């Protein structure tokens, strides 16, 4: 429908700018020379290896030039998220045209030589990847793994009231689980204190080799779907450039004005009705403006346009001709001067300075990052009168510390806690003393802890929690994701992508470090008594360990004071993924605060107070990592010291799992000498571990004493049973640990054999007791550390 949004002159210029971006995109995919087509295109001008995605690119170029117009018209603070990030040529082309690219990479200058390098570097060894990768200015979202664009965008606008994220959602991407549920993010946005997300559903109809679902349902169904998610769609549909420019300009004006109106209503008039935010559906041909037909098959407007539509122009003269005609169809002579510079009247269409989406500081969050104001964690310490004194549950103690982190940073609004539905269940109830769960949907009398604005974000989608937090961190803020240990696996893949982003960006000097992604795993494998087997899986850390050592950290604090010390460190750290595993159930407290601080600083250490090898080499090392394994180890040590008092036993506790790796593999790793000092070169080591046992072997296989390291951990035995029985099922209990030790210590002789027989009897007694009483033996429930049986 014709509108008067654009003057004919502006329409002509915007179309030219779009053609320039398309020209640069095709050039990036195909050319290594002759960037301005000053001479007829030759086979030698074409790259040998053609990699990239054309299909999505012209649509994204179209969106970008139109966003530039509204940024200028309304002076918007806007960034661009490319859901189908494989349209990398589009974001590179546009940031190049607006000048932000050359500012960061002066070698890719705005002239003919720069153009040649721009084209050659794309998807080329030593060059840049084909996605909206960290190398690309203005990007906070690589879009390689599809599905996270909307949640990243929402994360970016939380507590950024002036920011609008224009988020291009691929219609294929929209089929993924994470994206499908991300539409609901609109119920978690506070129009008063957060910014806005403008989703642009790019309905180009196809994925790699299939049509997309959203393009093959009726427009009415699509409309109902989007409205059902709470959005107000505005449709822009067609393929003729001129009416499409008109329609897109009008749609964007409507959307921006509606966003402003919603924000005004909330901010000035205090209207807290949940808004129906605008979004745009852009239905345009896949591979728009590209070759219509290749080798007799339709390409434009089909799935065949997805990647490189001309397979090998360098060896295929007809394809070379098609490529030249395609490039010439953009009339580069009208767009660039003889030196390869964008003509000034076109360059003037781009926003200026930091308003350019490639130069917006929100997309380089480290620039905006401010330190958290941190309470002194020592003020939250528990004070165990003796090692092993009962505690209320470690995360409950941590909750008080986090509550005050929230309070102290209320004014600078740069800290949030994310979780699927478990912040309470994970023992962080103290947070509710300081803040609420942000919730913009309806509330009913009797609801608790919900408010239009709050520091906690809870939606039963681990994908949203992770994605929101990533977006929040990438735009320069801080946060924590708390999750049941078993279900963090749901975001294994998102963790991968974020870790990759961190690795690559840490090597780009212009990208400043961002706050670490902190993941607190509670309700862990050993204490899922009421949920049973489905909720028992400690394998996330196996997965985490695959990532670059410079990025990942894994902590298993054995008690509340250690947890406080670890979390204080994590919240201050930069550019890591920190995984912290902690219990929420009442559990013994081992270390005073001072001892905990020293222990956590070392990351691993001998617990002298539990050992008796001070005056001689140990006969045995009892190592533990994790709260429950630590308890079972100390209980085993007390049995050994009582019954076999001649044994010299060393207790080693591991908080920082990375200490076990060689120094050459991880910056935290112990040197071989230090490792041998702790674990000896030849004595048996019984290692009780929180997670799957093979991880410890994987980390220590190069160590001198590896052959003698005997690991007990979770071996996929679980059900609803008592806490102690969970350890028995997996041979991690104190009795098995003692028997393991005896088996490796022939010098224990007959007393050892006799003790072993007693413990076998004990295990039978345990089974009979729990089957009858439904709880653990009193001597297990009431066990306390008595210093090796000599209180
Ligand atoms: C999670 C995920 N699964 C599969 C792929 C492989 N893949 C790359 S592009 C693509 C199709 C994308 O379609 P759409 O989102 O509509 O993007 P566009 O058509 O604009 O290229 C697929 C399946 C991927 N990148 N991520």
């Amino acid at each position: 429908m014709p509108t008067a949004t654009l003057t004919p002159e502006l329409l002509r210029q915007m179309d030219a700018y779009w053609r320039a971006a398309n020209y640069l995109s095709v050039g990036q995919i195909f050319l290594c020379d002759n960037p301005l087509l000053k001479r007829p295109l030759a086979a030698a001008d074409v790259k040998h290896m053609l990699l990239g995605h054309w299909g999505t690119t012209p649509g994204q170029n179209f969106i970008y030039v139109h966003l530039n117009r509204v940024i200028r018209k309304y002076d918007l603070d806007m960034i661009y998220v490319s859901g189908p990030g494989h349209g990398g040529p589009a974001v590179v082309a546009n940031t190049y045209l607006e000048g932000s690219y050359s500012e960061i990479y002066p070698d890719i200058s705005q002239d003919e030589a720069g153009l040649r390098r721009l084209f050659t570097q794309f998807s080329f060894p030593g060059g840049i990847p084909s996605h909206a990768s960290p190398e690309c200015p203005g990007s906070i979202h690589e879009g390689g793994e599809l599905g996270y664009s909307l949640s990243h965008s929402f994360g970016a606008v939380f507590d950024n009231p002036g920011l609008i994220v224009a988020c291009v959602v691929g219609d294929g991407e929209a089929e993924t689980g994470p994206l499908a549920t991300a539409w609901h993010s609109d119920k978690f946005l506070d129009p008063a204190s957060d910014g806005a997300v403008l989703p642009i559903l790019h309905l180009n109809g196809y994925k790699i080799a299939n049509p997309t679902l959203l393009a093959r349902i009726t427009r009415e169904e699509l409309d109902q779907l989007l409205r059902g998610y709470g959005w107000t769609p505005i449709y822009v549909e067609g393929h003729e450039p001129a009416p499409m420019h008109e329609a897109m300009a009008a749609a964007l004006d409507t959307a921006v004005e509606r966003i402003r109106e919603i924000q005004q209503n909330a901010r000035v008039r205090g209207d807290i009705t949940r808004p129906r935010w605008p979004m745009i559906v852009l239905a345009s041909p896949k591979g728009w403006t590209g070759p219509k037909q290749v080798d007799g098959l339709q390409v434009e407007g089909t799935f065949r346009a997805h990647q490189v539509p001309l397979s090998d122009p360098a060896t295929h003269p007809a394809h070379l001709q098609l490529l030249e005609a395609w490039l010439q169809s953009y009339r580069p002579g009208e767009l660039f001067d003889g030196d390869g510079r964008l003509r000034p009247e076109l360059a003037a269409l781009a926003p200026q300075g930091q308003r350019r989406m490639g130069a917006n500081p929100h997309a380089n969050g480290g620039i905006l990052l401010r330190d958290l104001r941190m309470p002194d964690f020592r003020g939250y310490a528990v004070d165990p009168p003796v090692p092993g004194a009962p505690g209320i549950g470690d995360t409950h103690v941590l909750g008080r510390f986090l509550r005050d982190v929230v309070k102290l940073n209320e004014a600078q609004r740069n800290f949030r806690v994310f979780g699927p539905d478990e912040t309470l269940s994970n023992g962080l109830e103290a947070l509710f003393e300081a803040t609420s769960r942000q919730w913009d949907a309806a509330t009913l009398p009797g609801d608790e802890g919900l408010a239009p604005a709050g520091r906690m974000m809870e939606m039963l989608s681990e994908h949203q929690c992770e994605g929101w937090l990533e977006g929040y961190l990438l735009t320069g803020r801080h946060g924590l994701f708390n999750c049941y240990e078993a279900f963090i696996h749901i975001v294994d893949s998102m963790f991968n992508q974020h870790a990759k982003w961190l690795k690559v960006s840490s090597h780009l000097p212009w990208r400043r470090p961002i706050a670490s992604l902190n993941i607190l795993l509670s309700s862990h494998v050993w204490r899922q008594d009421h949920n049973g087997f489905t909720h028992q899986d400690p394998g996330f850390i196996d997965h985490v360990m695959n990532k670059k050592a410079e990025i990942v950290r894994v902590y298993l604090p054995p008690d509340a004071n250690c947890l406080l010390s670890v979390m204080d460190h994590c919240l201050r750290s930069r550019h890591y993924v920190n995984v912290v595993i902690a219990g929420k159930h009442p559990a013994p407290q081992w270390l005073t605060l001072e001892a905990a601080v020293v222990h956590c600083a070392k990351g691993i250490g001998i617990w002298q107070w539990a050992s008796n090898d001070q005056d001689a080499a140990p006969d045995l090392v009892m190592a533990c990592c994790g709260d429950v394994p630590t308890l079972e180890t100390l209980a085993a040590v007390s049995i050994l010291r009582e019954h076999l008092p001649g044994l010299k036993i060393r207790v080693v506790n591991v908080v920082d799992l990375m200490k076990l790796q060689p120094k050459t593999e991880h910056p935290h790793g112990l040197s071989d000498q230090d490792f041998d000092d702790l674990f000896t070169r030849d004595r048996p080591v019984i290692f009780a571990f929180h997670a799957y046992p093979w991880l410890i072997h994987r980390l220590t296989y190069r160590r001198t004493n590896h052959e003698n390291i005997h690991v007990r951990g979770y071996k996929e035995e679980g059900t609803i049973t008592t806490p102690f029985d969970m350890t028995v099922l997996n041979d991690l209990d104190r009795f098995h640990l003692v028997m393991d030790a005896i088996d490796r210590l022939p010098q224990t002789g007959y007393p050892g054999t006799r003790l072993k027989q007693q413990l076998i009897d004990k295990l039978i007694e345990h089974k009979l007791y729990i089957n009858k009483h439904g709880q653990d033996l009193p001597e297990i429930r009431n066990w306390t550390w008595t210093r090796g049986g000599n209180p």
Side-chain angles (χ1 to χ4, degrees):
M1 196 175 61
T3 71
T5 314
L6 301 177
T7 62
E9 179 57 9
L10 183 55
L11 190 152
R12 189 191 64 72
Q13 287 178 339
M14 288 176 65
D15 188 66
Y17 197 102
W18 179 43
R19 283 188 279 121
N22 285 338
Y23 180 82
L24 296 187
S25 303
V26 183
Q28 288 177 76
I29 296 173
F30 288 96
L31 300 188
C32 56
D33 204 354
N34 197 9
L36 291 168
L37 296 182
K38 283 186 172 167
R39 50 180 168 74
L41 194 65
D45 299 330
V46 179
K47 294 182 197 180
H48 292 296
M49 214 164 53
L50 297 178
L51 304 167
H53 297 79
W54 166 246
T56 184
T57 298
Q60 295 204 46
N61 284 334
F62 181 80
I63 293 166
Y64 205 102
V65 62
H66 278 269
L67 293 174
N68 278 348
R69 185 190 67 86
V70 284
I71 291 172
R72 284 165 50 93
K73 176 170 176 184
Y74 297 96
D75 188 26
L76 300 180
D77 189 7
M78 178 178 270
I79 61 171
Y80 180 86
V81 165
S82 169
H86 46 270
V91 256
V92 172
N94 277 287
T95 49
Y96 178 79
L97 288 175
E98 73 191 18
S100 50
Y101 202 91
S102 305
E103 281 167 23
I104 290 174
Y105 305 110
D107 207 29
I108 311 293
S109 44
Q110 290 187 303
D111 53 25
E112 186 174 357
L115 269 182
R116 189 178 295 110
R117 284 191 282 268
L118 177 83
F119 289 178
T120 309
Q121 67 164 5
F122 177 80
S123 262
F124 203 79
I128 59 167
S130 66
H131 291 72
S133 63
E135 288 88 343
C136 184
S139 175
I140 58 163
H141 172 90
E142 169 143 3
E145 185 168 287
L146 297 165
Y148 315 133
S149 60
L150 260 186
S151 34
H152 282 167
S153 301
F154 273 89
V157 302
F158 292 137
D159 298 316
N160 263 332
L163 182 67
I164 301 179
V165 178
C167 174
V168 180
V169 177
D171 50 355
E173 182 196 13
E175 293 175 17
T176 64
L179 197 292
T181 197
W183 297 112
H184 280 306
S185 301
D186 55 4
K187 287 107 196 164
F188 295 87
L189 195 70
D190 175 25
S193 54
D194 298 324
V197 175
L198 175 62
I200 301 168
L201 175 64
H202 191 198
L203 204 64
N204 62 15
Y206 295 89
K207 295 169 283 192
I208 300 177
N210 273 289
T212 62
L213 284 171
L214 296 188
R216 297 297 175 92
I217 56 178
T218 64
R219 285 289 187 271
E220 186 194 6
E221 273 179 290
L222 178 64
D223 195 69
Q224 286 169 348
L225 179 76
L226 297 172
R227 285 180 195 277
Y229 276 121
W231 296 91
T232 306
I234 306 167
Y235 295 87
V236 177
E237 179 157 11
H239 65 277
E240 288 291 343
M244 286 294 277
H245 285 304
E246 283 287 5
M248 188 66 176
L252 274 174
D253 277 9
T254 307
V256 170
E257 282 163 23
R258 181 67 192 129
I259 287 171
R260 292 204 150 173
E261 189 183 321
I262 290 170
Q263 293 179 335
Q264 283 289 103
N265 281 344
R267 294 173 192 181
V268 180
R269 286 184 273 289
D271 181 355
I272 55 161
T273 327
R274 181 164 68 81
R276 301 302 169 105
W277 295 92
M279 64 169 290
I280 290 175
V281 178
L282 171 65
S284 62
K286 190 150 182 167
W288 198 8
T289 74
K292 304 249 177 292
Q293 281 210 348
V294 178
D295 301 335
L297 292 172
Q298 191 191 337
V299 172
E300 189 196 37
T302 76
F303 64 89
R304 292 186 200 95
H306 182 71
Q307 289 181 359
V308 180
L310 300 170
S311 53
D312 194 3
T315 58
H316 200 311
H319 283 197
L320 188 66
Q321 264 184 6
L322 273 176
L323 176 60
E324 185 164 21
W326 179 11
L327 285 161
Q328 291 289 12
S329 75
Y330 299 122
R331 306 193 297 281
E334 293 176 15
L335 312 172
F336 302 97
D337 67 18
D339 292 333
R341 235 174 292 275
L342 186 66
R343 295 197 180 274
E345 75 271 16
L346 300 185
L349 295 181
Q352 300 293 307
Q354 295 194 339
R355 286 300 197 226
R356 292 171 299 171
M357 291 191 282
N360 191 308
H362 291 292
N364 185 3
I367 290 180
L368 303 174
L369 183 65
R370 293 168 62 188
D371 287 350
L372 281 176
R373 294 184 62 203
M374 295 289 285
D376 184 352
F377 69 94
R378 293 167 188 82
Y380 306 84
V382 297
D383 189 14
V386 290
I392 58 170
D394 299 346
T395 56
H396 297 272
V397 177
L398 177 71
R400 299 167 187 162
F401 172 65
L402 293 176
R403 171 198 63 203
D404 292 350
V405 177
V406 164
K407 280 187 189 165
L408 279 177
N409 296 283
E410 193 60 62
Q412 51 183 38
R413 305 182 62 81
N414 61 349
F415 177 69
R416 290 197 185 222
V417 176
F418 301 78
D421 178 33
E422 294 145 11
T423 308
L424 266 178
S425 171
N426 283 330
L428 303 177
E429 64 282 342
L431 277 167
F432 287 78
E433 295 166 26
T435 188
S436 302
R437 288 172 288 208
Q438 183 158 317
W439 174 268
D440 209 43
T443 51
L444 293 174
D447 286 342
E448 287 180 4
L450 302 177
R455 300 285 99 202
M456 289 182 284
M457 307 297 301
E458 289 203 333
M459 175 174 169
L460 210 177
S461 162
E462 283 75 6
H463 287 119
Q464 296 323 300
C465 297
E466 172 77 16
W468 288 343
L469 174 55
E470 289 175 3
Y472 199 63
L473 300 175
L474 286 160
T475 46
R477 284 76 65 72
H478 305 259
L480 172 73
F481 176 13
N482 75 95
C483 188
Y484 279 7
E485 185 184 39
F487 303 139
I488 191 70
H489 273 302
I490 290 168
V491 299
D492 275 5
S493 211
M494 292 183 83
F495 152 79
N496 281 346
Q497 299 301 319
H498 189 71
K500 287 174 193 289
W501 179 282
L502 292 179
K503 173 185 181 275
V504 175
S505 58
S506 68
H507 296 284
L508 298 170
W510 62 273
R511 280 222 182 250
R512 303 282 173 76
I514 59 169
S516 300
L517 173 64
N518 298 306
I519 300 178
L520 172 67
L521 300 180
S522 193
S523 308
H524 63 54
V525 54
W526 301 108
R527 297 307 310 270
Q528 273 290 357
D529 321 342
H530 62 300
N531 282 311
F533 200 33
T534 55
H535 287 52
Q536 293 158 353
D537 193 308
F540 183 63
I541 54 179
D542 293 80
H543 178 70
V544 166
M545 298 299 294
N546 295 330
K547 286 288 159 289
K548 270 301 198 203
E550 67 202 59
I551 299 301
V552 292
R553 306 284 183 266
V554 178
Y555 299 100
L556 294 111
D559 67 8
N561 286 342
C562 291
L563 175 59
L564 286 169
S565 172
V566 162
M567 192 55 78
D568 178 74
H569 170 78
C570 292
L571 290 178
R572 292 173 191 272
S573 71
R574 297 284 184 270
H575 229 70
Y576 300 145
V577 178
N578 295 308
V579 181
V580 180
I581 302 177
K584 64 180 180 182
H585 290 91
Q589 301 300 305
W590 307 106
L591 303 185
T592 61
L593 182 78
E594 293 68 32
V597 170
V598 174
H599 186 48
C600 293
K602 289 196 294 189
I604 185 170
I606 300 173
W607 280 5
Q608 296 290 359
W609 52 268
S611 311
N612 66 348
D613 67 330
Q614 287 80 0
D615 53 357
D619 300 307
L620 169 70
V621 177
M622 296 290 282
C624 44
C625 180
D627 58 352
V628 168
T630 300
L631 165 62
E632 291 309 310
T633 295
L634 288 184
V637 168
S638 70
I639 296 170
L640 283 166
R641 286 180 59 181
E642 182 180 341
H643 293 268
L644 303 168
L647 271 184
K648 297 287 179 195
I649 304 173
R650 171 180 295 175
V651 177
V652 172
N653 183 268
V654 183
V655 182
D656 175 353
L657 195 58
M658 304 302 178
K659 287 281 169 191
L660 298 178
Q661 296 192 71
K663 215 177 175 50
T664 47
E665 299 296 313
H666 195 281
H668 289 191
L670 289 178
S671 69
D672 281 340
Q673 181 62 54
D674 289 346
F675 189 92
D676 291 352
D677 287 349
L678 287 176
F679 290 95
T680 78
R681 297 178 67 84
D682 53 3
R683 300 302 150 98
V685 178
I686 307 295
F687 198 128
F689 181 46
H690 172 86
Y692 293 102
W694 9 105
L695 180 54
I696 297 300
H697 290 298
R698 193 173 139 196
L699 297 175
T700 59
Y701 78 99
R702 286 195 200 154
R703 301 296 194 176
T704 320
N705 200 24
H706 178 244
E707 229 171 67
N708 288 316
I709 298 181
H710 181 75
V711 189
R712 291 292 182 192
Y714 185 64
K715 49 181 196 179
E716 208 59 19
E717 288 295 339
T719 177
I720 290 184
T721 188
T722 67
F724 181 67
D725 194 48
M726 269 302 294
T727 64
V728 174
L729 290 174
N730 291 282
D731 300 345
L732 180 83
D733 62 280
R734 56 201 69 180
F735 304 137
H736 276 101
L737 296 180
V738 171
M739 292 191 287
D740 282 341
I742 291 170
D743 287 346
R744 280 156 189 82
L745 292 166
Q747 68 268 40
T748 56
Y750 177 67
T753 314
R754 194 178 53 197
L755 175 59
K756 200 174 155 188
Q757 289 308 315
Q758 286 171 355
L759 297 182
I760 292 170
D761 293 348
K762 233 339 145 219
L763 283 167
I764 295 168
E765 185 188 339
H766 152 76
K767 274 286 176 222
L768 294 174
Y769 187 91
I770 64 163
N771 288 344
K772 183 163 179 200
H773 298 280
Q775 63 175 349
D776 286 319
L777 284 160
E779 68 189 82
I780 301 289
R781 278 183 280 132
N782 302 327
W783 179 86
T784 51
W785 170 252
T786 52
R787 300 173 195 221
N790 300 311

